[in-house]
Amino acid sequence: MDGPVASTSKSLWKGKGKGRDSGRDESLLSNSNRSLPKQDDWVPPTQSLKKYVYAKPNMADKNFLKQKAIPDKKLAHHLQALTSAAKTSSLKAFEHDDLLLSHSNQGLIETETDLERTWKVGQQEIVDGSAIGVAGKAFSLKLDEFGPYALDYTRNGRHLAIAGRKGHVATFDWHSGRLHTELHLRETVRSIKWLHDESFFAVAQKKYVYIYDKAGLEVHQLRDHIEVNQMEFLPYHFLLATIGNAGYLKYQDTSTGQLVAEHRTKLGSCQTMAQNPHNAFIHLGHQNGTVSLWSPSVSKAQVQLQAHRGPVVSIALDPSTMGNRMVTAGLDGTVKVWDTRKWAVLNEFHFKKTPASAAFSQKGLLGLGWGNHISVFNDLQKPGQNPRMSPPPYMTHTFPGVPVSNVKFCPFDDVLGVGHSTGITSLVIPGAGEPNFDSLEADPYEGKRRRREREVNQLLDKVPFDLITLDTDLLGKLDRKTAAPSETENQDKPGWKDTPFSQKTRLDRLKVKGEAVEEEDESSGEEDEDEERRKARREERVEKADAKKRARGRNSTLKKMLRKRRRNVVDPQTVALKEKLSRARDATKKAKLNAMAARSAASGTAGALDRFTFK
Amino acid sequence: MKIKVLHRSLEAHLPESSSSTAPVSRNLDPALHPFARPREYTRAVAAAKLERMFSKPFVASLEGHGDGLYSMAKDESGGLSRIASGSGDGEVRVWDLGDRRSVWEVVGAHKGMVKGVTFSHPVEGEEGRVEKKVGGGERGIKRKRTELGDRGKGKGKEEPESEDEDRLDSTEARGSSRLLTCGSDKTVKMWDLKGSKGSNVQPLQTYTGASGFNSISHHRYDPIFATASSQIDIWDETKTSPLSTLKFHSTSSLSTGEHIVSVAFNKSETSVLASSGSDRTVCLYDLRSGKALGRVSMAMRVNQLVFNPLQPPVLLCASEDHNLYTFDMRNLSTTTQVYKGHVGAVMSADWAPTGREFVSGSYDRTVRLWTAGEGKARDTYHTKRMQR
């Protein structure tokens, strides 16, 4: 290491000035004696790397391949290549995020002494203790006359749309305060939702859903969506999902304009809807306490949970845990934290009041809106908490005398937007937003050109709706059902088709040919008497159920004819039919008695107890 | 209380000047990039569709023949632009693919169908040919035949050619100057491509055989060619009777006519040739020993054989049973690859000059492109104009 370095540095100094002796050179070039700092050999722990493995997460596990020796060398080599590629890419992604992302100005409120409590921190204290720009984040719009407000942020957190129940709709850029449009619709507005960016928004009005563009022009009237209560937009599939009083969940493709699916929930009017951002499933909370999960390609709910004893008031899904956490709030004041993979309740809390609305922030903070205050919870997953005692909130804010209707966290910012009866309020919640955004996904500072390019790229990358599956890894998984069909298929089911001979397993093929060697089983030789009797009885029951056999021997045409004639009319034909029917009944009864008697005579048991024997 | 609120400075996120691009911030956390697999799948499908949409494989049609084309040959020493074609009414044409026009034609080359065409290669300084330097320093020495021995008609052609030497057309500067055609009228004719064209053109040389010829193939360097009829004849261009005859394909009592369907010289291992016959066999010969090297019996007749120009042992067979097979000529016991895709008999095939891909045309009116080693066709081309 020293040799080549020294020679090059000497050559550098060759022609420069006079009287530079080699001794001076040595000291001046003292860095030639120092070796280069060693490369950092630190490898991040597997747990933090696992997060970045976009392929199967268990590929990052070092024991992944050592579990079973794979006899096929080509396959083993291929899997080796895949795991090493997954590891290198996850390492690179980790390094990128570790080095390039700024973690400086973000984080939760930290208490310095034991006596301090974070929920006692008010908005004024936060604004006073922070930079000047933060003051613009905490604002409140006083809009008294137009009813409780619903609000929505765009995906990049830059634009805000608010809608008052009495028909006041406004959209603005809340960073700069620039108003895009303000509409007075003069009819009930129940919900508002931005579409793929700030160019369009959808408003659920009294009867239909209307889509407006940025300037406030009504561009579409969606007459298929009737009396809609809640709306959700799936950004990667360009689908607008709506649910209303009729209980129909309808998906509309906003890029082609096609109504993609409508599903009857059959559970009545629904007021609660949430979207799982990681698998694009729609979670609906119903009045009977069930939560159902829907996708556009399946016409029944894919999952149904009994979440609460009363109606489900609010559902929220956590974007920070890859769609694994769900919080449901019921009218009875319970708030449950669910794991969406196991469908198990992780934690359950009882509150005295009913929460009105729930929302998760990008960093996993849960915001709940109550009657006159909101509370933000930090860590609801702590096991072992006493369910009777409600957990301490991270922050609270009170709205004296004003019921809260809607809470939403702003993406990529430490802001919680609250819609209430007298307008909207924007609160600063430190640690709520993701500090580093990805420009290729959502950029609060995108200019006109980038917005246009992003829109076109999003449309080109629009995922077809039938790829929405509960298991996000399904695409690319081996289809085991067709690879190895189940042996427990029911042959008697109608429509059963035998697998063709060439696709059968070897054993089945031999069986068909008649060359399968049956293993000698000793127990199969002897058959129990009870077993025999039970078998015979089963067969009898099947025969009885057989419709054809049922018709034989019992003259049901007589009964049919009698039924068809009016019962209160007595005419000679009816009388004759009735007589015929009673004669037929007597005859069957006699035959039964005779049969029983014959059997009892044959078996030798007492005659009186014959009626208690099995037939 | 330590309170840190997230706030961003505009300088870090807006472009530095009005003309520079806006800065891009990335966060590779998978929570910010959901639907990785479906998006990747969608992009792959869209890319494949766009590639198909933008590929327009049909380039041009060369028109001039009056009847269907039944034989075609490419000029291996003529750059990549010269091909010759023979049609059912006996017309032979030579085309330049760059200009997409016919540069030479003769009507009535044969009575009946022209069954095979092949270019005779100009030889570069090999012994066995008498050279006559006729002008042209930079372009190299033009080879000429002196003794054609064909009733003196050929000699008359030489003088006008020497006059035209300096005014050679640029399109005719490279490439073989002679063409061999064979037909079912039991003759093989050699034509001069620098000479006159049209009707009433006399060939440089005519070779007569015992029965109609099915196929013709020229040696890569030497002035030798092979024809297939009811036996394989090896001819020297200077002699009117064949040098040798190879009769290794068996004849059955049921077969009538010429039963050897195709013959092909190996262009890299140059003294090896292969032939296929109606007895469903493929035979391999070596000229140096004059004996058959091996023989394979197939399920159905092989309609055409082609050797890989860059890999000497690889032989491609286009078979009647809708498949193509490659053999290693050193080991004829097994095929090295089966190519399945056509739904009709494969009538002809040819290798790309790279030796890595080949094209096949079949009775099902499609042309398929294959990569050597992959058993499924890469592409299928068909038009309504291409019929049986």
Side-chain angles (χ1 to χ4, degrees):
Chain A
M1 188 68 109
D2 291 349
V5 176
S7 59
T8 48
S9 12
K10 271 190 191 147
S11 64
L12 277 173
W13 284 104
K14 241 185 212 171
K16 296 218 172 185
K18 350 161 203 173
R20 290 201 184 269
D21 40 44
S22 54
R24 189 104 56 102
D25 283 358
E26 287 293 286
S27 64
L28 277 169
L29 304 167
S30 54
N31 59 348
S32 65
N33 293 328
R34 269 189 256 136
S35 54
L36 283 170
K38 247 190 171 165
Q39 290 289 331
D40 195 358
D41 284 334
W42 173 75
V43 174
T46 319
Q47 201 56 40
S48 48
L49 274 187
K50 261 190 186 173
K51 176 177 152 192
Y52 289 101
V53 182
Y54 284 75
K56 295 201 180 304
N58 53 356
M59 268 192 177
D61 186 12
K62 60 180 176 181
N63 291 325
F64 174 60
L65 282 182
K66 292 180 194 165
Q67 286 164 7
K68 289 191 280 185
I70 301 164
D72 184 0
K73 278 190 184 167
K74 256 191 186 174
L75 180 63
H77 186 72
H78 181 58
L79 284 178
Q80 186 75 46
L82 284 179
T83 39
S84 63
K87 276 186 200 163
T88 356
S89 75
S90 67
L91 189 62
K92 283 212 171 117
F94 176 84
E95 277 176 8
H96 172 278
D97 275 0
D98 199 29
L99 299 173
L100 291 179
L101 297 185
S102 69
H103 300 281
S104 56
N105 61 345
Q106 51 109 356
L108 302 167
I109 299 176
E110 283 164 14
T111 53
E112 280 154 349
T113 64
D114 266 344
L115 291 173
E116 286 179 340
R117 296 279 178 259
T118 56
W119 69 72
K120 289 184 183 159
V121 177
Q123 289 292 299
Q124 199 53 48
E125 191 182 331
I126 293 174
V127 169
D128 289 338
S130 311
I132 289 188
V134 177
K137 296 186 198 239
F139 64 91
S140 178
L141 295 180
K142 189 156 172 291
L143 304 154
D144 290 349
E145 308 126 13
F146 295 106
Y149 274 81
L151 53 93
D152 189 39
Y153 288 96
T154 49
R155 262 186 85 205
N156 56 6
R158 179 102 188 201
H159 306 270
L160 177 58
I162 63 173
R165 185 63 63 87
K166 296 202 176 62
H168 177 227
V169 170
T171 58
F172 51 95
D173 171 357
W174 69 269
H175 279 205
S176 58
R178 193 178 309 154
L179 179 75
H180 298 317
T181 179
E182 185 173 3
L183 307 167
H184 289 278
L185 295 166
R186 291 188 292 174
E187 62 177 9
T188 314
V189 167
R190 297 198 196 93
S191 175
I192 188 166
K193 199 83 195 161
W194 286 108
L195 297 189
H196 56 276
D197 63 4
E198 70 268 18
S199 337
F200 295 98
F201 58 94
V203 179
Q205 295 179 210
K206 177 169 146 202
K207 194 154 183 213
Y208 301 121
V209 171
Y210 295 80
I211 294 182
Y212 298 85
D213 83 335
K214 193 173 173 186
L217 277 174
E218 176 193 317
V219 287
H220 295 290
Q221 180 195 41
L222 305 177
R223 292 178 70 97
D224 290 318
H225 304 256
I226 297 167
E227 283 189 20
V228 169
N229 284 326
Q230 294 283 344
M231 298 190 290
E232 278 287 336
F233 186 70
L234 309 178
Y236 294 94
H237 307 80
F238 277 80
L239 290 174
L240 180 68
T242 64
I243 186 78
N245 285 330
Y248 276 76
L249 174 65
K250 302 199 185 193
Y251 288 86
Q252 183 100 25
D253 187 330
T254 53
S255 60
T256 59
Q258 191 200 9
L259 183 71
V260 160
E262 45 186 322
H263 301 316
R264 268 183 75 192
T265 58
K266 292 191 207 164
L267 290 166
S269 155
C270 176
Q271 317 278 346
T272 318
M273 188 198 230
Q275 175 202 147
N276 189 334
H278 287 278
N279 61 9
F281 261 60
I282 297 290
H283 297 234
L284 295 176
H286 300 277
Q287 303 291 319
N288 63 352
T290 52
V291 170
S292 54
L293 268 67
W294 300 83
S295 81
S297 36
V298 179
S299 51
K300 290 193 314 177
Q302 299 208 6
V303 177
Q304 268 191 321
L305 304 169
Q306 186 65 40
H308 292 278
R309 288 213 207 103
V312 178
V313 167
S314 183
I315 307 179
L317 281 135
D318 190 352
S320 65
T321 55
M322 304 297 285
N324 286 333
R325 292 272 180 276
M326 176 172 82
V327 162
T328 59
L331 199 66
D332 49 359
T334 48
V335 171
K336 292 189 182 177
V337 181
W338 297 80
D339 179 322
T340 52
R341 286 172 302 181
K342 289 192 299 182
W343 295 113
V345 180
L346 291 172
N347 258 327
E348 193 178 330
F349 307 104
H350 295 271
F351 295 97
K352 298 237 170 55
K353 291 186 187 165
T354 316
S357 173
F360 263 106
S361 85
Q362 276 182 321
K363 282 290 195 184
L365 298 183
L366 173 68
L368 288 173
W370 307 91
N372 63 349
H373 71 286
I374 58 107
S375 47
V376 177
F377 293 90
N378 183 10
D379 199 359
L380 280 179
Q381 273 89 268
K382 277 204 201 109
Q385 274 177 328
N386 189 355
R388 295 285 152 207
M389 234 175 51
S390 52
Y394 167 64
M395 279 184 70
T396 62
H397 185 89
T398 325
F399 302 93
V402 176
V404 167
S405 60
N406 201 356
V407 291
K408 280 251 166 71
F409 277 94
C410 178
F412 303 114
D413 224 329
D414 279 347
V415 159
L416 171 67
V418 181
H420 45 77
S421 310
T422 56
I424 66 143
T425 306
S426 180
L427 304 169
V428 179
I429 313 282
E434 172 66 55
N436 302 292
F437 54 85
D438 191 313
S439 304
L440 303 180
E441 297 278 339
D443 188 346
Y445 301 100
E446 63 184 4
K448 182 174 163 193
R449 182 188 290 175
R450 189 163 284 153
R451 188 197 64 76
R452 290 195 292 205
E453 285 173 9
R454 180 192 45 78
E455 192 172 9
V456 172
N457 282 319
Q458 268 188 318
L459 283 166
L460 286 173
D461 286 344
K462 180 182 93 163
V463 180
F465 67 89
D466 43 10
L467 291 179
I468 297 178
T469 49
L470 197 54
D471 178 14
T472 45
D473 280 340
L474 194 69
L475 197 62
K477 257 191 182 170
L478 178 68
D479 186 2
R480 292 193 185 276
K481 259 193 262 178
T482 50
S486 60
E487 295 153 354
T488 55
E489 280 172 5
N490 190 0
Q491 293 191 13
D492 299 320
K493 213 173 171 184
W496 181 79
K497 270 183 233 154
D498 198 359
T499 51
F501 182 77
S502 57
Q503 287 177 14
K504 276 198 186 345
T505 60
R506 188 162 179 274
L507 191 60
D508 290 337
R509 266 184 272 157
L510 290 173
K511 278 186 192 161
V512 166
K513 274 194 201 163
E515 293 159 12
V517 176
E518 299 270 6
E519 279 179 23
E520 286 183 340
D521 206 357
E522 287 183 349
S523 59
S524 64
E526 38 178 65
E527 263 178 294
D528 233 1
E529 277 188 19
D530 291 332
E531 189 65 46
E532 270 191 48
R533 230 182 287 149
R534 257 180 257 141
K535 258 195 195 168
R537 232 175 282 144
R538 230 179 290 146
E539 278 168 21
E540 259 191 68
R541 237 180 283 146
V542 169
E543 277 186 36
K544 254 195 185 174
D546 194 356
K548 278 189 191 167
K549 297 217 176 136
R550 221 186 309 137
R552 252 185 256 150
R554 278 217 252 164
N555 202 349
S556 61
T557 49
L558 273 177
K559 287 193 194 163
K560 257 194 208 166
M561 283 189 73
L562 273 175
R563 236 186 301 132
K564 281 189 177 166
R565 295 164 165 276
R566 270 181 278 155
R567 287 227 183 108
N568 52 353
V569 172
V570 177
D571 56 4
Q573 281 152 334
T574 337
V575 167
L577 280 173
K578 278 193 185 159
E579 274 179 35
K580 200 176 178 185
L581 187 62
S582 57
R583 259 182 281 141
R585 252 192 238 134
D586 290 334
T588 49
K589 231 192 227 172
K590 260 198 194 153
K592 246 194 231 171
L593 283 169
N594 288 338
M596 248 173 42
R599 227 180 289 129
S600 67
S603 64
T605 54
L609 295 175
D610 276 343
R611 61 177 67 203
F612 298 115
T613 58
F614 280 112
K615 274 197 275 272
Chain B
M1 290 283 190
K2 263 190 262 177
I3 300 175
K4 281 185 292 182
V5 179
L6 172 67
H7 77 280
R8 300 186 181 95
S9 64
L10 276 182
E11 296 112 39
H13 297 285
L14 292 179
E16 292 145 2
S17 63
S18 57
S19 55
S20 60
T21 52
V24 173
S25 349
R26 299 291 325 259
N27 184 345
L28 299 179
D29 188 355
L32 291 179
H33 301 271
F35 304 107
R37 285 189 188 199
R39 284 158 84 185
E40 198 58 45
Y41 173 80
T42 314
R43 282 184 193 152
V45 168
K49 284 184 184 171
L50 286 175
E51 199 227 321
R52 283 276 172 199
M53 258 164 47
F54 291 135
S55 73
K56 297 202 182 325
F58 187 83
V59 172
S61 65
L62 305 169
E63 286 165 38
H65 277 287
D67 196 357
L69 272 80
Y70 292 95
S71 54
M72 229 159 74
K74 63 179 194 246
D75 190 355
E76 271 125 16
S77 45
L80 293 171
S81 60
R82 285 293 185 92
I83 56 164
S85 58
S87 70
D89 59 357
E91 185 181 350
V92 177
R93 278 179 183 255
V94 173
W95 307 88
D96 185 301
L97 293 176
D99 294 341
R100 294 187 203 149
R101 63 179 185 90
S102 170
V103 295
W104 185 87
E105 67 268 357
V106 66
V107 177
H110 288 272
K111 292 193 194 72
M113 216 159 88
V114 178
K115 287 263 190 158
V117 280
T118 185
F119 282 89
S120 163
H121 305 302
V123 171
E124 306 281 327
E126 272 201 11
E127 46 188 310
R129 285 209 179 198
V130 180
E131 295 156 17
K132 183 178 174 184
K133 269 196 193 178
V134 190
E138 293 167 278
R139 286 208 209 96
I141 300 159
K142 193 175 160 205
R143 310 283 164 218
K144 293 220 64 156
R145 306 254 64 188
T146 49
E147 293 169 22
L148 287 174
D150 184 38
R151 296 148 209 138
K153 279 179 190 167
K155 286 178 193 168
K157 293 245 189 302
E158 286 176 68
E159 286 150 19
E161 281 166 16
S162 61
E163 284 169 13
D164 290 345
E165 181 53 61
D166 296 329
R167 288 185 278 112
L168 270 178
D169 203 15
S170 59
T171 58
E172 295 168 320
R174 302 171 64 204
S176 315
S177 53
R178 284 177 305 281
L179 181 72
L180 284 158
T181 62
C182 72
S184 42
D185 59 352
K186 305 179 192 170
T187 54
V188 178
K189 296 185 183 175
M190 181 193 284
W191 306 91
D192 185 11
L193 299 178
K194 308 279 191 296
S196 54
K197 41 188 170 171
S199 41
N200 301 325
V201 178
Q202 293 305 316
L204 284 174
Q205 181 68 297
T206 309
Y207 311 85
T208 335
S211 44
F213 296 106
N214 280 336
S215 170
I216 188 170
S217 176
H218 197 279
H219 191 280
R220 181 66 181 90
Y221 301 111
D222 295 341
I224 287 169
F225 62 91
T227 56
S229 55
S230 38
Q231 70 263 358
I232 309 254
D233 295 316
I234 313 289
W235 305 74
D236 187 313
E237 280 180 11
T238 53
K239 301 183 173 55
T240 46
S241 59
L243 283 177
S244 57
T245 306
L246 305 165
K247 287 186 191 175
F248 291 111
H249 282 286
S250 55
T251 56
S252 67
S253 53
L254 299 168
S255 70
T256 53
E258 303 77 36
H259 57 273
I260 302 185
V261 160
S262 165
V263 69
F265 263 103
N266 193 334
K267 304 292 180 182
S268 25
E269 183 61 53
T270 50
S271 48
V272 172
L273 71 146
S275 71
S276 81
S278 293
D279 59 347
R280 299 180 283 115
T281 59
V282 171
C283 251
L284 214 56
Y285 317 93
D286 194 328
L287 279 186
R288 294 170 289 205
S289 64
K291 292 205 189 101
L293 292 174
R295 201 153 149 213
V296 186
S297 185
M298 314 270 288
M300 294 181 91
R301 184 186 78 185
V302 170
N303 286 324
Q304 185 160 18
L305 298 158
V306 200
F307 278 97
N308 190 323
L310 291 186
Q311 288 175 359
V314 177
L315 169 66
L316 176 71
C317 307
S319 167
E320 188 78 19
D321 67 349
H322 319 332
N323 298 337
L324 294 111
Y325 302 96
T326 43
F327 282 93
D328 187 328
M329 72 177 184
R330 300 166 291 194
N331 179 14
L332 286 175
S333 56
T334 60
T335 62
T336 51
Q337 181 78 41
V338 180
Y339 299 91
K340 281 177 169 269
H342 279 293
V343 293
V346 192
M347 302 307 292
S348 74
D350 194 20
W351 286 95
T354 57
R356 298 206 186 221
E357 296 182 318
F358 60 91
V359 67
S360 67
S362 125
Y363 197 71
D364 65 358
R365 297 163 296 163
T366 60
V367 168
R368 278 174 211 249
L369 300 172
W370 313 74
T371 312
E374 284 175 17
K376 294 266 178 278
R378 184 166 67 78
D379 251 327
T380 307
Y381 298 151
H382 60 92
T383 49
K384 274 200 298 206
R385 299 164 71 174
M386 271 190 337
Q387 295 297 322
R388 294 179 219 263

